[in-house]
Amino acid sequence: MNIQVFEGFQTVMLEVSIALLPLIAFFAAFQIFLLKLPMQRVLQVGIGFILTFFGLSFFIQGVHVGFMPIGTMIGERLGSRDYKWVLIPIGFVLGFSATFAEPAVSIMTDEVDQETGGYISRKMMLYTLSMGVGISIALSMLRILTGWSLWYFIIPGYLLAFILVFFSTQTFIGIAFDSGGVATGPMTVTFLVAVSVGISSVIEGSNPLTDGFGMIALVALTPIIAVLILGIIFTKKGGKSK
């Protein structure tokens, strides 16, 4: 078992190396012909690439050997319960809490707080995005239980988002559509999707391919709506209009 894990880790490191090589090549080209940074700064960037390499390698290997299997097992156990309606509030709690652990969400909320001078606080953005993701996971659980098509959620959702754009401010519109991307980070993709597929695989009449997947589309949608609504609330309370 340990040998198989080690062999898998070697494959992961090779894949990460191939992914990082173009970035290293671009940086080297810019350094030679354009940037011409001092050697100390180049060494700092080099250390950053090394840390990135090992961080991605360990993370992806952890996903393969632990995160995805345990997510699938949790989903299978939850889906086999008699009271399947509880999957909806459980999904909300999982989505809400997982957002707190998303690295991209943490970075974005910090940047929004800094760039707006605290006008849009980190805490407010974090709770808004967490609510949005929680609702999306709850809707995904509802879709698994009912067998409803993903289109029933996606089309009305984006229509609502485009309508809200006309009532929100330019500040919140830009943040909102970026929020949908940062919410679909490693926690959601690796853990919550595995839980969703595990639940769908044990529920009678549910197909993991058609019902278990599609969660990411909802996760990318609901934070947009949540942030746009936050922008409308700010406007109604007399916030900045730009």
Side-chain angles (χ1 to χ4, degrees), residues 17 83 115 120 191 227:
S17 300
Y83 301 100
E115 293 301 321
I120 308 173
F191 181 69
V227 175

Side-chain angles (χ1 to χ4, degrees), residues 8-23:
F9 190 49
Q10 288 180 317
T11 304
V12 167
M13 287 193 295
L14 178 61
E15 293 174 351
V16 172
S17 300
I18 294 173
L20 289 179
L21 278 176
L23 298 178

Side-chain angles (χ1 to χ4, degrees), residues 71 74-75 77-98 130 133-142 145 191-192 195-196 199 215:
I74 291 173
R77 291 295 181 90
L78 290 174
S80 61
R81 299 294 179 181
D82 293 332
Y83 301 100
K84 293 184 172 48
W85 62 267
V86 300
L87 292 174
I88 297 175
I90 289 175
F92 177 84
V93 173
L94 286 175
F96 187 92
S97 57
S130 298
V133 175
I135 292 171
S136 69
I137 305 302
L139 290 176
S140 297
M141 297 298 108
L142 175 64
L145 294 176
F191 181 69
L192 295 181
V195 172
S196 176
I199 291 173
M215 176 186 290

